[in-house]
Amino acid sequence: MEDSGRAADWDGAVNAWHVAGDVYRMGRREWLTEAGWRQAYDAGIRTVVDLRNDSEIRRRETDPPVRSAALAGFDVVLAPTEDPANTEFRELCVPYLNHPAAYADNARLFPDLLAGVFKALAAARGGVVIHCSAGRDRSGMIAAMVQDLAGHSDEAIVQAYQHSMRGINDHHRGAAVPHPHERYLPDDVLTPLLEERGASLLQFVRSLNTVDFLRRHGVTGREFTAILAKVGR
């Protein structure tokens, strides 16, 4: 069932959406409140796959307090999708990966890292939520690949990414911590970006051949079986 447009209404979560099967996506996990973590647990989430780099993982003064006991039921797996020290990547993705037009280069430069995300998905306990910082591009790249494996239509894959664009844009409208590079965009500015970036996303995922890509980079048959079960196939 293509219900990746369904929001995950977990308290404090930013840009949280169902992707496919037992897989969800969202922005940084530090935004969730204790109530939000309970809601995620009740939704079946047991594993959090963090796509960020080590230097990004930190709490902010504005993040809600969450006791360690509230997180005890979750496995947190670090599975970055990029090496920010890579010179070519830094030249292509300025100031960071922020457009699907660069996803193919990300896959070309760091195929083993992307395969590592799916290995983490294969090994995950229970439902899984993947997240980066905004829940848009690194999460969007992986989510599009997940949806491809789940057999989703072109329209569903594009709409899911567009939901994430709108989700983080809405967050920017009243964010406690202003983003250093992005601001809230009104609809007349956002709408053409939705169309253009949606087309780029679709070109990436349909040219990648997710199954072949992952097999070429070390995802085993047993892992594929586990992944397909996670995504509802």
Side-chain angles (χ1 to χ4, degrees):
M1 178 180 178
E2 295 182 357
D3 62 346
S4 52
R6 172 165 56 87
D9 190 19
W10 306 330
D11 190 54
V14 173
N15 214 8
W17 305 91
H18 179 244
V19 178
D22 296 325
V23 182
Y24 293 75
R25 63 187 287 187
M26 67 179 182
R28 55 193 295 276
R29 67 178 184 270
E30 293 85 0
W31 278 321
L32 264 72
T33 66
E34 283 199 13
W37 284 110
R38 287 194 298 272
Q39 290 165 334
Y41 189 90
D42 290 344
I45 301 299
R46 298 295 182 272
T47 303
V48 179
V49 178
D50 189 340
L51 307 179
R52 297 175 297 177
N53 299 295
D54 286 344
S55 61
E56 300 174 79
I57 302 173
R58 61 187 184 277
R59 288 188 53 78
R60 301 170 182 168
E61 290 183 0
T62 53
D63 291 332
V66 177
R67 293 169 295 176
S68 58
L71 303 175
F74 301 92
D75 300 326
V76 177
V77 180
L78 304 184
T81 59
E82 64 193 35
D83 175 4
N86 181 281
T87 301
E88 185 178 359
F89 179 77
R90 292 204 312 267
E91 291 173 351
L92 289 168
C93 300
V94 179
Y96 44 77
L97 182 69
N98 62 1
H99 196 299
Y103 292 3
D105 286 311
N106 190 302
R108 173 179 60 83
L109 290 168
F110 312 118
D112 292 342
L113 292 181
L114 296 195
V117 175
F118 284 85
K119 285 177 171 290
L121 186 60
R125 179 172 63 96
V128 182
V129 59
I130 60 174
H131 80 88
C132 52
S133 181
R136 184 186 63 199
D137 285 296
R138 285 171 288 187
S139 296
M141 178 172 57
I142 298 301
M145 295 170 70
V146 167
Q147 288 183 270
D148 188 29
L149 293 175
H152 287 194
S153 66
D154 291 0
E155 181 182 12
I157 292 172
V158 170
Q159 284 183 348
Y161 182 76
Q162 292 174 336
H163 283 311
S164 75
M165 285 186 68
R166 288 193 180 278
I168 196 61
N169 187 59
D170 288 343
H171 173 72
H172 289 324
R173 186 200 295 263
V177 179
H179 194 279
H181 301 288
E182 300 186 22
R183 295 293 182 268
Y184 171 77
L185 302 177
D187 277 348
D188 62 327
V189 177
L190 182 63
T191 297
L193 296 179
L194 292 171
E195 296 299 323
E196 185 257 334
R197 295 189 186 191
S200 290
L201 175 83
L202 190 60
Q203 181 178 5
F204 159 72
V205 73
R206 292 311 188 207
S207 64
L208 182 68
N209 189 336
T210 304
V211 171
D212 179 64
F213 175 84
L214 294 176
R215 282 179 173 159
R216 284 189 288 110
H217 296 289
V219 175
T220 68
R222 180 173 293 182
E223 287 170 329
F224 259 110
T225 298
I227 292 166
L228 292 177
K230 288 288 186 196
V231 306
R233 289 293 293 269

